[in-house]
Structure formats: C-alpha cells, structure tokens
C-alpha cells in the first residue's frame, strides 16, 4: 500500500503529532501545497554566502537519530510555511527535498544555522552557493524551537498510544495474578476531593475486567497503585498534548538568533516533558513488578523456573531505564541541553515499551498455559457462556468436566487480539521459553505507533471501556450538582419570593446568553479573571461562560444604547474555582440593578432596601449587612502610603480579611504585593474599625481625621451620610454595620459597596453583595451610565433553608398534588373519568391503580398528598366515592356528582 501524502501549508491545515510521527518514520510523504508556494517570495541569486552562514571549522556537531531528525525538519518546514513573515522559496524547497530522501538524516548537523544549511545541501547534493537563504530564515530553526517541539511531538504520539496499551496490559496482569478488583472501586467526589484521572483509570480497568471469574482477594500494592500511577501518566500526557498541538502550528516571526537560541516555548515544552518523565518511571517500576508476579502465576514449575532465570537476565532493560532516568536529569541540570534532555526522555519511553512488552507477554503466557482458564476464541465481546453447556449432551455415565473459570469480556477480547495478531494463533508448545521471547520481541514492535496493528488494539480497548457494559453510573463534573424533589420545592419557592420583591420595585426581567465574547468579560474582575471559563474556538469567536450577571447587563445597556433601566435576572453563572463545601463552579445568582442618572444615593437607597426585604421575606434568620465605600477605601490606601497603581491589587488582599487573619493578609501585602511593613501596619490599624453606621461615620468626620484631607474620602463620607439618614427613615439600619475592611475585589466598583452575611449556626459566609459601578457601561460604549445593584448568592440561602427545614422537622412537599385518585383494581378508564373533572376544576390531582389499599395510602403519605378519592367495585356499583383525609385518617362517602365541589370546599 502506497504511503499517504501530506500537503503542508494547505488552507486550514494543522499538523498533529500523529502525522509528524508518520512523516518522521517515512510512513507518509511530504508535499508543499501549491497555494503556499505561491505566497513565498521568489529566490534571488547570490554569489556568496553571508559570513554568518559559513560554519566554524571548530564547531561541535549535533546529530539526532534519523527519526528525530526527520521530525525536526518537518516541524521546521511547517513553521516556515505558517510564518507571518516573508520567506523565500529556496529553504522550504530544500527542506522538502530533504524529506523526500530515504537516508542521510543521521548526517544533518543541528549545532548551528550555518551547520544545518550546509548539511542539508550536502545530503541533497545541492550547491550551497545557489541557495538563496538569509541568516534570519535558517536561524528560524532555533527561534521556533523546531527540534524541541518535534521531539515533544514524537513523545506525545507514542505516550498517547501507551495510555490504552498500559491499561490493557495491566488488566491482563490482574487476570493472571487474580488481583482484587476492589482496588478499582474508587469513589467519585463532586466537590474536588478525588482525582478525575485516577477514577477514570479505575473505571476503565474495571470495565476491561467486567465478568471475570478469576478476580480474587490478591490486594498486592502493585495493583492498588495502578489508578494513581496511571492517572498521573494520563494527566502528564494530556498536558503535553495540549502544548504540542499549539506549538506545532503556531507562527513565529523571523528574527536573528541569539547565542543560546532560546525562543518560542522551549522552556514550557521541557517543563511538561519533565512532568511526564516521573510517572513514566513509576509505570516502568510497577510494570516490572507485575511482570515478576506474572511469572509466579505460571503453572508449570519447570517452565516457571526457566522463565524466571531468563527474566533475571533481562533485568538489564529495567536497570537501563533507571540509569537513563537518573543521567538525563543530572545532565540537564548541569548543562541545560534541552534537546539532549528530550531525546533522553524519548529513549526512556522506548524502554518503557519494552518493559510493558515483557509484562504483556508474561501475562498472556501465564493465561494461555493455565488449563483452568477458559479461552474463548469466538467474539469475546459477545456473552458466549458455553462453559458446562456441552455437558448437557454428555452420554449418561460420562464424567462431566470441571467448569473452567472465564476471563472478563474485555480482557478476553484483548487476549484474543494479541494471540491472533502477535502470537499468530500459535499454540504454546515445544520450546515454550523461546516462544515467550518471540512474543516479547513482537509485542515491543506492536506497541510502537509505526505498527499499524497498534491502531486496532487501541481502538478495541477504547470500544470496550466506552461500551459501559458494567453500567457504570454516569457522573457530573466537579463543582456541579443535581436538585430534585424537596430541594427543588425549596428553590422554586425561594425564586418566587425573590422575583416578587424585585417586581414590587418596578424591575423588569432580563435574560442574557450563558456565554459572552471573551473580550466582554476580560479586565472586569481583577485577579478573579483567572476563574473565567473559556470555551473552545467554534469558528472565529473566542467565547467564555459568564462569570456574573452584572457585566452582561452593562453590555446589554451599551449595546442597546439604553441610559436607564431597572432590571432583575435570576440565572446561572460559572467560575473555574476549586470546588469545596459551599463553593461550586455552577450556581445561581439573583441580581437587582438600577441604571441611570438619579439624585445622589436615591438608587443606592432602594437597592439596599430591596436587599433587606429579600432577606426578611426569605426568613433565613439573623443577618448583617456590612458597608464601605470604594472612594473611602482608596482614600485610606492613599493615607497609608500605597501607590495608586497598587490600589486594586491591595484591595484584593484586604478583601480576604473575612477568611484570613490580618497577619496572613499582611504577609501577602508585604511579600507578594511589595508594600513595606510600616504601610501594611497602617492599613491594619484602619481596617479594624467596625461598628454602627453613624458611630463610625462620626469618627471618620471628626476634626483632625486624616480622611478629611482626601477629596475622595470627603465625597464618600457625604454620600454615606445621606444614605444612612434615608435608611434610618426606612427602619433598615438595625442590621447594618460600617466595616472599613470590606473591599470587594472586583475592579468595576466605584462607590458604595456592601455585603450580607448570615449570622446563624449554618456556616455559609457571604449570602449577598453589591455596590455602585458608574464606569462599567462606559467601558463598552464610551457613554457613562451610572448603575448600582445587588446580587443574592442564592445557593447559600438554599443551604440555610434546607437546614432550617431539617431543624424544624418541616415537611417539604416535592409536588403540589392535593388529591390522589385511587382505583382499587386495574380500571384505568374509571381512573380517567374521576381525575379529569378535578383537573378541569384546576385541582392538582394524581391517579393510581392498585388492588391493595395500603399501596395507595403509602404513596399518598410519601408524597404528602392530603386527600384521597377511594373507589372500589362497591363504590363503582353504587355511584359513590370515598373521600379520605390522610392526616386525620377520616373518611366520608359522597356521590360522584358532588365529590369535586366537596373537595374544592375542603381544600
């Protein structure tokens, strides 16, 4: 079969790691897309090379193995073609000619741009003086880190394949050694207290072993460690893959190389490969130990002894792995040679493949030579349980054979695949040790992506683990939750209360998209911007999930040129936070905002009254609302000697005082934010001020107060005076506290800021917050529309309400059903005749048919349905029904013509 052709530079083309590996191993040919060639500058004739492109006679050459050299050249070519700088045709054409060769790659000198150019010309028999190449163009090889990216791509391709291979091999070892499957029963936590990769590994291997009758109680540590060691390997491979995918196709500008040539993402690539090497070592160690255990599982004692002796001689493979692992890290730390380090890790990966081949061969050998194990040679994914069935046809008196143990469906399929494709269906006979050695050699090749058979194995493992035959319970992402029954009843009631308060103040409902353009959200949340969820590019627009409801509201005002609006919105928001108790990644916010020009403090006053009414009507118990003013906060920082450019970042630290001691915050201010100890202490003395609104306000306005020397602080104190006076008239001061430590870390606040905290026994922290943001709309349109609002953290309110219901033994009804129509029998027609008039009368009703009376009563009690309409054969014959009050356990008999009206009265 002819090797496929890859056209580099084609429109929309991206170079993946797998294609890089194929080209590097001569499994694919390279052509340059004609349109890409047309974009290149024509080559100009040159009689002599610049001095910088003449190699030094004393330079130290740098050669790579042919596979890595080809990979480096194809990455270099792809980056040249995708570069946004002007590149002449000569060099790309020379690189394409090089890739068309079948040999000579071990003679390419990568030590310098000059050496690279001359060695390329040498192996392609090109006169170097005829090649029109500038120092910047050939130097682009170093500036783009093409060699490092190429080796990382080879590692990515090989390591990605080993994820499925290692799972399959480990599962076979579990069968051979009768491992305890309890090792793979890992709990999944939605609050971030379990490692996703570990639980995924455990679930996948459990799927491969599903149906196994060999699993025993062998809980050796080497099997218990599989989820954690394989999970770390998956995490490292995924991180490397994400980086390589970008680096293979990112464009780099032409520029002159410096002495070290350390451009691009060389350091990032090395760091990620470093992160990959350690779990590779752990996997090699555990695979070696499992291979030893597989030898112990071989039934024939003589064969076991011979193989054990052979394996001990092969320990050089593992010893070589450990020595290579140690040396590459020591050499890199001493010499900082990134290419040598990456090449060393690639050598480790090759050795890991050999160790896995030994483990796989020994597991297969152990199973194949064990007559007590049923080897299903049909389609192992079909539940062909034939054991013992042939015995039914045995002649009378024949001794039945002992029933054999079966492999798991997944491992049976893998075993069949390996024996078919690797062992060529050969029976283990004759020289068994020689057979084993042959298997090891073949498996070592089989696990290399160059072998087309590997795709079949990887696809088969993927098919098995995704078949969900064990009926694995699906799970939700960390930081998300399901709500049903009583929880939803509480939530719906709370939403209704909240919406009614908002509407009472003239707010209109608004709904905005759950995702926004990324540019809309960035630069609005200070240090919290890192918590924004970014979405994958779906066609030219970079989008992110909304972080809150305030910025989308400001965008709506600006986009529609609105200068005034009172709106409310109850919707979900998303934050890429670390999930913990009371902290989620998806949650509801209930926002009320007033935008527009009003008298000073008029809108602020109404928003705070709304907040008071919300918390009172929700009946959550004791709460307090803390106040501060952003201008007062800025004035305080100015008074304490904080530079203006550090105001926002210092505010982010002060905002943590509700969770940390001042000493912890002080340490952050000094060590991370660069403030002096004296400045931090001055801040500490002020932020401790806390008390009733008028008490603190009087103190700050007293003669000699430093705040009176700051114009922003004076304006803030005047506004707060008006606000507190208005709130006093509305009887809303009882729960208010003036707290100078309140900072609210979001960048867009410009005036009053406030936060509501629950003071009951349920520890939930802040339950609402808000403030004035006069400049946010102007960020989008240039037109300033002042606004003020509050956001209720409804998830924490729900936690309080749910706890209250438990403490008060309240019965929370999941439905509004008022009547259960109960037919004692299976007469659906009669049920429909009785329930339809109730529905027509707008009475919430449910029907049930069952012969047993207690089934109906139990169901009604479970659902807290207050009334039942009971009808049996005698009631049907008499034209009456029985109305039963569940709570009082009372019954009355009434005619069918009157039961609807009677229920209406009693309800």
């Amino acid at each position: 079969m002819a090797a496929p052709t890859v056209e580099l530079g084609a429109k929309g083309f991206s170079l993946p790691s797998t294609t890089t590996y194929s080209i590097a191993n001569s499994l694919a040919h390279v052509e340059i897309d004609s349109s890409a060639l047309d974009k290149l500058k024509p080559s100009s004739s040159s009689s002599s090379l610049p001095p910088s492109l003449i190699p030094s006679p004393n330079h130290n050459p740098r050669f790579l193995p042919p596979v890595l050299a080809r990979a480096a050249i194809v990455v270099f070519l792809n980056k040249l073609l995708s570069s946004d700088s002007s590149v002449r045709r000569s060099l790309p054409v020379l690189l394409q000619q090089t890739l068309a060769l079948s040999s000579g790659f071990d003679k390419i000198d990568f030590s310098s741009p000059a050496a690279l150019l001359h060695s390329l010309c040498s192996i392609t028999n090109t006169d170097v003086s005829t090649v029109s190449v500038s120092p910047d163009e050939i130097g682009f090889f170093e500036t783009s880190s093409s060699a490092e990216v190429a080796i990382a791509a080879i590692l990515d391709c090989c390591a990605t394949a080993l994820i499925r291979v290692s799972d399959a091999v480990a599962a076979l070892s579990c069968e051979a050694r009768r491992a305890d499957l309890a090792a793979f029963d890992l709990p999944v936590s939605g609050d971030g207290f379990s490692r996703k990769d570990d639980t995924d590994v455990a679930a996948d291997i459990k799927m491969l072993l599903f149906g196994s009758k060999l699993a025993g109680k062998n809980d050796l540590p080497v099997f218990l460690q599989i989820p954690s060691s394989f999970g770390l390997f998956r995490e490292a491979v995924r991180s490397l893959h994400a980086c390589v995918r970008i680096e293979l196709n990112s464009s780099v500008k032409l520029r002159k190389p410096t002495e070290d040539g350390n451009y691009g993402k060389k350091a990032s690539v090395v760091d990620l490969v470093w992160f990959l090497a350690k779990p590779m070592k752990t996997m090699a160690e555990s695979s070696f130990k499992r291979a030893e255990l597989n030898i112990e599982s071989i039934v024939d004692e003589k064969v076991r002894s011979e193989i054990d002796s052979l394996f001990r001689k092969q320990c050089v493979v593992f010893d070589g792995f450990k020595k290579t692992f140690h040396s590459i890290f020591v050499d890199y730390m001493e010499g900082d040679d990134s290419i040598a380090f990456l090449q060393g890790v690639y050598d480790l990966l090759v050795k890991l493949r050999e160790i896995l081949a030994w483990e796989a061969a020994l597991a297969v050998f152990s199973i194949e030579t064990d007559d007590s194990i049923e080897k299903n040679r049909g389609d192992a994914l079909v539940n062909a349980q034939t054991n013992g069935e042939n015995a039914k046809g045995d002649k009378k008196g024949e001794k039945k054979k002992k029933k054999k143990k079966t492999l798991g469906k997944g491992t049976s399929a893998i075993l069949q695949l390996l024996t078919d494709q690797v062992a060529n269906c050969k029976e283990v006979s004759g020289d068994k040790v020689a057979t084993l050695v042959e298997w090891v050699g073949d498996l070592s090749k089989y696990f290399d992506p160059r072998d087309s058979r590997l795709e079949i194995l990887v696809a088969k493992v993927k098919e098995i683990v995704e078949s969900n035959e064990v009926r694995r319970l699906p799970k939700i992402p960390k930081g998300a939750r399901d709500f049903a029954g009583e929880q939803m009843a509480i939530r719906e009631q709370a939403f209704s209360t909240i919406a009614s308060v908002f509407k009472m103040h003239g707010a209109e409902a608004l709904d905005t998209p759950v995702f926004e353009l990324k540019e809309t959200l960035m630069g609005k949340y200070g240090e919290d911007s890192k918590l924004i969820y970014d979405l994958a590019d779906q066609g030219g627009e970079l989008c992110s999930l909304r972080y809150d409801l305030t910025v989308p509201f400001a965008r709506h005002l600006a986009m529609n040129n609105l200068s005034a609006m009172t709106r409310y919105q109850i919707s979900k928001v998303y934050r890429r936070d670390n999930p913990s108790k009371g902290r989620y990644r998806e949650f509801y916010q209930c926002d009320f905002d007033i935008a527009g020009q009003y008298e000073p403090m008029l809108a602020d006053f109404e928003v705070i009254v709304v907040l008071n009414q919300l918390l009172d009507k929700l009946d959550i118990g004791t709460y307090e609302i803390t106040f501060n003013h952003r201008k007062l906060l800025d004035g305080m920082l100015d008074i304490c000697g904080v530079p203006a450019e550090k105001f926002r970042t210092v505010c982010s630290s002060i905002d943590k005082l509700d969770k940390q001691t001042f000493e912890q915050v002080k340490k952050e201010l000094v060590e991370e934010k660069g403030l002096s100890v004296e400045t931090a202490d001055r801040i500490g003395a002020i932020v401790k001020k806390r008390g009733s609104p008028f008490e603190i306000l009087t103190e700050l306005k007293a003669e000699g107060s430093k705040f009176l020397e700051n114009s922003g602080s004076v304006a803030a104190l005047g506004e707060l005076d008006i606000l507190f006076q208005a709130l006093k008239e509305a009887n809303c001061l009882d729960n208010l506290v003036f707290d100078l430590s309140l900072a609210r870390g979001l960048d867009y606040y410009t005036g009053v800021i406030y936060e509501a905290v629950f003071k009951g026994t349920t520890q939930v922290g802040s339950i609402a917050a808000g403030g004035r943001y006069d400049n946010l709309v102007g960020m989008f349109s240039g037109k300033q529309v002042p606004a003020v609002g509050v956001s209720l953290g409804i998830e924490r309110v729900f936690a309080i309400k749910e706890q209250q219901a438990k403490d008060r033994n309240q019965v929370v009804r999941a439905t509004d059903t008022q009547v259960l129509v109960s037919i004692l029998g299976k007469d659906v027609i009669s049920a429909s005749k009785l329930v339809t008039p109730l529905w027509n009368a707008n009475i919430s009703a449910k029907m049930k048919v069952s012969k047993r009376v207690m089934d109906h009563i139990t169901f009604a009690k479970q659902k807290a349905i207050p009334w039942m309409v009971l009808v049996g054969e005698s009631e049907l014959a008499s034209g009456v029904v029985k109305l039963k009050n569940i709570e009082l356990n009372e019954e009355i008999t009434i005619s069918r013509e009157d039961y609807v009206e009677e229920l209406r009265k009693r309800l």
Side-chain angles (χ1 to χ4, degrees):
M1 182 178 177
T5 298
V6 178
E7 286 197 355
L8 299 183
K11 185 177 180 181
F13 174 80
S14 62
L15 180 66
S17 297
T18 49
T19 302
T20 305
Y21 190 83
S22 295
I23 297 172
N25 286 279
S26 301
L27 301 176
H29 300 306
V30 172
E31 296 287 346
I32 299 177
D33 183 70
S34 58
S35 61
L37 274 177
D38 293 339
K39 295 177 183 177
L40 300 176
K41 291 172 60 179
S43 302
S44 57
S45 59
S46 176
S47 58
S48 62
L49 284 174
S52 60
L53 292 184
I54 299 176
S56 169
N58 299 319
H59 80 285
N60 294 318
R62 155 59 65 79
F63 300 109
L64 296 177
V67 170
L68 301 185
R70 283 182 65 91
I73 295 302
V74 73
V75 171
F76 183 24
L77 176 56
N78 187 60
K79 284 187 168 292
L80 278 174
L81 295 174
S82 61
S83 169
D84 53 4
S85 303
S86 296
V87 177
R88 287 173 288 187
R89 291 188 180 187
S90 292
L91 184 55
V93 171
L94 178 63
L95 294 173
Q96 181 191 356
Q97 292 171 349
T98 303
L99 290 170
L101 300 175
S102 58
S103 62
F105 289 90
D106 56 342
K107 298 176 183 177
I108 299 178
D109 186 355
F110 293 96
S111 61
S112 69
L116 175 61
L117 176 62
H118 282 261
S119 56
L120 289 173
C121 290
S122 175
I123 66 171
T124 56
N125 295 318
T126 302
D127 185 350
V128 71
S129 64
T130 64
V131 180
S132 175
V133 178
S134 70
D136 286 356
E137 289 174 342
I138 192 65
F140 185 71
F141 180 81
E142 289 185 1
T143 64
S144 62
S145 302
S146 293
E148 288 83 357
V149 173
I151 302 173
I154 299 296
L155 277 166
D156 174 35
C157 179
C158 295
T160 300
L162 283 189
I163 289 176
R164 296 296 188 191
V165 169
S166 58
D167 288 352
V169 173
L172 287 173
S173 291
C174 288
E175 297 277 32
R177 193 57 182 153
R178 274 69 165 175
D180 186 0
L181 297 189
F184 308 107
D185 289 332
L186 294 189
V188 179
S189 168
D191 285 337
F193 296 117
S194 65
R195 291 175 56 86
K196 182 178 183 301
D197 289 300
D198 294 11
T199 55
D200 285 349
V201 169
D204 288 349
I205 293 184
K206 194 173 180 181
M207 181 67 234
L208 292 169
L209 294 168
F210 174 61
S212 171
K213 302 302 181 183
L214 294 177
K217 299 298 182 183
N218 194 336
D219 57 353
L220 291 170
V222 71
F223 292 106
L224 299 176
Q225 294 165 1
I226 287 174
S228 59
S229 59
F230 285 27
L232 283 172
F233 182 70
R234 286 191 182 191
E235 183 181 354
V237 172
R238 188 173 60 251
S239 299
L240 178 64
H241 177 77
C243 176
V244 168
R245 176 176 170 270
I246 294 171
E247 291 308 311
L248 280 174
N249 300 284
S250 61
S251 60
V252 181
K253 287 184 178 293
L254 297 185
R255 49 180 174 172
K256 294 180 180 179
T258 57
E259 291 182 2
D260 64 1
N262 189 21
Y263 294 100
K265 298 290 184 180
K266 184 186 299 184
S268 298
V269 169
V270 170
D271 287 346
L272 290 170
V273 172
W274 188 298
F275 177 46
L276 173 67
K278 182 61 175 72
M280 281 170 51
K281 178 176 180 291
T282 305
M283 288 183 67
E285 291 172 345
S286 60
S287 178
F288 187 82
K289 291 176 183 176
R290 289 192 299 273
E292 290 180 312
L293 293 172
N294 290 340
I295 294 175
E296 295 177 12
S297 301
I298 296 174
V299 177
D300 190 313
E301 185 175 346
K302 180 183 177 183
V303 174
R304 181 171 68 244
S305 177
E306 291 178 7
I307 290 177
D308 184 63
S309 177
L310 171 68
F311 186 69
R312 297 303 159 196
K313 294 177 183 178
Q314 294 298 324
C315 283
V316 65
V317 176
F318 183 57
D319 291 339
F321 186 98
K322 291 190 289 187
K323 290 176 182 177
T324 303
F325 182 86
H326 178 74
S327 64
I328 62 173
F329 280 91
V330 172
D331 292 346
Y332 180 67
M333 295 300 292
E334 293 177 352
D336 196 30
D337 188 337
S338 58
I339 294 179
F341 171 75
L342 296 171
Q343 187 178 342
V345 177
Y346 174 66
D347 292 339
L348 284 179
L349 193 68
V350 173
K351 288 182 172 64
L352 174 59
R353 275 205 305 251
E354 294 178 28
I355 296 169
L356 285 170
W358 270 100
E359 180 190 356
L362 287 166
V364 172
F365 188 91
S366 173
I367 295 170
E368 285 290 302
T369 56
D370 190 340
D371 292 334
S372 69
I373 300 175
E374 175 72 25
K375 271 74 79 172
N376 182 9
R377 297 305 183 193
D379 187 352
L381 285 176
V382 178
N383 190 13
Q385 296 179 342
T386 58
N387 287 339
E389 290 184 3
N390 293 333
K392 296 177 181 178
D394 288 347
K395 294 179 181 180
K396 190 173 182 180
E398 276 189 13
K399 186 178 180 180
K400 292 184 180 180
K401 294 181 180 179
K402 184 178 179 181
K403 187 174 181 178
K404 294 184 178 182
K405 292 185 176 181
T406 55
L407 300 169
K409 289 187 177 182
T411 45
S412 184
I414 293 166
L415 180 69
Q416 179 183 333
L417 193 63
L418 293 181
T419 52
D420 286 352
Q421 295 196 339
V422 179
N424 297 319
C425 296
K426 288 185 292 188
E427 293 289 333
V428 184
S429 58
D431 190 342
K432 296 181 179 180
V433 176
T435 300
L436 174 67
V437 173
E438 183 182 344
W439 285 3
V440 172
D442 206 357
L443 282 168
S444 185
K445 296 175 183 176
Y446 187 36
F447 294 163
D448 189 327
R450 284 180 294 185
D451 195 320
S452 60
R453 297 174 299 174
L454 179 61
E455 290 185 17
I456 301 173
L457 174 63
V458 171
K460 176 62 73 175
V461 176
K462 187 172 184 289
E463 174 192 345
I464 295 167
V465 299
E466 291 180 356
S467 66
N468 198 25
E469 193 147 356
V470 294
R471 298 296 180 261
R472 280 186 289 178
L473 290 176
K475 54 190 178 183
I476 57 177
K478 296 175 184 178
R481 297 172 295 168
D482 287 332
F483 299 98
E486 291 77 7
Q487 285 181 309
M488 277 306 300
I490 291 174
R491 295 168 78 87
E492 289 179 340
Q493 185 180 17
F495 285 142
S496 176
T497 300
I498 293 166
S500 68
V501 172
F502 290 160
K503 291 177 181 179
M504 185 172 64
H505 287 265
E508 55 185 285
L510 175 68
D511 187 28
T512 57
V514 74
F515 56 92
E516 297 274 352
L517 291 176
K518 184 176 181 179
E519 64 190 44
T520 300
L521 304 182
M522 298 310 294
K524 314 298 188 308
Y525 304 107
E527 295 183 0
D528 283 348
S529 292
K530 63 181 180 290
L531 302 181
I532 293 174
Y533 264 114
D534 292 333
L535 301 178
D537 183 0
Q538 297 294 332
E541 288 188 336
L542 295 177
C543 297
S544 301
L545 294 179
R546 62 187 175 208
Y547 178 90
D548 65 5
L549 302 178
T550 306
V551 171
F553 172 53
R555 187 265 307 150
H556 173 78
L557 293 173
M559 190 176 76
N560 293 282
N561 196 27
L562 300 175
S563 57
M565 183 180 186
T566 300
R567 83 86 168 87
Y568 79 90
Q569 184 171 356
I570 301 175
S571 299
K572 288 181 177 180
V573 297
Y574 301 84
R575 297 184 184 178
R576 196 166 49 87
D577 211 341
N578 289 321
S580 60
K581 186 174 182 180
R583 186 181 294 273
Y584 302 97
R585 289 177 169 176
E586 178 193 63
F587 54 94
Y588 270 98
Q589 280 190 342
C590 305
D591 279 23
F592 176 88
D593 294 80
I594 300 175
Q597 293 284 354
Y598 298 95
E599 288 298 312
M601 294 294 104
L602 178 67
D604 307 71
F605 160 74
E606 184 171 6
V607 169
I608 295 164
V609 170
V610 166
L611 177 57
N612 270 274
Q613 290 177 343
L614 275 179
L615 299 180
D616 288 341
K617 289 202 172 188
L618 287 169
D619 190 27
I620 62 170
T622 307
Y623 64 89
E624 72 174 21
I625 302 174
T626 54
F627 268 84
N628 203 353
H629 198 295
R630 205 57 183 262
K631 292 178 182 177
L632 199 62
L633 194 61
D634 289 349
M636 176 193 74
L637 297 179
D638 184 43
I639 291 167
C640 293
V642 178
E645 65 273 12
K646 292 188 176 182
F647 280 7
R648 295 289 78 86
T649 185
V650 170
C651 280
S652 295
S653 298
I654 295 174
D655 196 38
K656 299 175 183 177
L657 281 169
D658 61 334
K659 305 179 188 71
Q660 300 178 4
T661 64
F662 180 73
E663 288 304 314
Q664 292 174 304
V665 172
K666 177 182 174 180
K667 183 178 180 181
E668 180 178 311
L669 289 173
V670 174
E671 296 181 3
E672 297 180 24
K673 304 300 172 70
L675 300 188
S676 66
V677 175
E678 295 76 14
T679 300
D681 286 337
R682 285 195 290 269
I683 292 173
I686 297 177
V687 295
K688 293 176 182 177
K689 295 183 184 295
R690 191 176 193 275
S692 66
F694 285 113
E695 175 191 344
I696 301 298
L697 188 64
T698 301
E699 181 181 345
L700 297 180
K701 294 175 70 175
E703 187 176 349
S705 171
K706 292 284 187 182
F707 285 93
L708 297 179
E709 299 174 8
N710 182 279
S711 59
S713 297
V714 171
L717 292 171
E719 291 179 355
L720 289 172
D721 194 1
I722 298 171
L723 178 62
F724 293 155
Q725 293 286 355
L727 290 171
K728 180 181 178 181
E729 295 299 321
N731 296 317
C732 290
L733 276 184
D734 293 343
N735 297 314
L736 268 58
V737 175
F738 199 163
D739 186 350
L740 290 178
S741 71
L742 180 64
R744 301 291 295 144
L746 303 181
D747 279 359
Y748 52 66
Y749 287 122
T750 58
V752 176
I753 52 177
Y754 32 85
E755 188 172 84
V757 179
F758 178 62
K759 306 302 289 184
T761 55
T762 306
Q763 298 298 313
V764 295
S766 171
I767 53 176
R772 175 161 284 280
Y773 51 98
D774 288 346
N775 301 327
L776 186 56
V777 179
M779 290 183 181
F780 298 115
S781 65
K783 175 184 175 182
Q784 298 299 336
V785 178
V788 61
V790 65
S791 179
L792 182 68
I794 193 64
E795 302 295 343
R796 294 177 176 179
V797 171
F798 290 147
I800 297 168
K801 299 292 288 182
E802 289 169 10
Q803 188 60 47
Q804 284 178 341
K806 290 180 182 178
D807 294 342
R808 299 170 183 173
N809 292 321
Q810 289 180 337
V811 177
V812 179
R813 297 184 60 200
T815 72
D816 293 330
T817 305
Q818 298 170 301
V819 179
L820 176 65
V821 175
S822 299
I823 303 297
L824 300 178
K826 297 184 178 181
D827 190 350
V828 176
I829 305 301
S830 295
S832 66
K833 289 180 179 178
L834 286 167
V835 77
T836 302
L838 293 172
W839 289 339
N840 292 339
N842 290 323
I843 295 175
S844 177
K846 179 106 180 135
M847 57 182 170
K848 182 175 177 63
V849 293
S850 175
K851 292 181 178 180
R852 298 182 60 194
V853 176
M854 285 310 299
D855 285 351
H856 295 278
I857 295 174
T858 301
F859 181 82
K861 288 181 177 180
Q862 287 176 344
K863 299 296 182 181
I865 301 173
W867 284 89
M868 290 177 62
V869 175
L870 273 166
V871 177
E873 290 182 1
S874 60
E875 285 80 13
L876 285 173
S878 305
V880 298
V881 300
K882 285 183 179 180
L883 301 185
K884 182 179 182 65
N885 185 308
I886 299 296
E887 184 178 355
L888 300 177
N889 195 26
E890 295 178 350
E891 290 184 6
I892 62 170
T893 301
I894 193 167
S895 70
R896 289 187 60 169
E897 288 78 14
D898 301 326
Y899 79 98
V900 175
E901 189 60 34
E902 185 66 25
L903 280 171
R904 193 200 301 273
K905 292 177 184 178
R906 293 177 179 267
L907 289 171

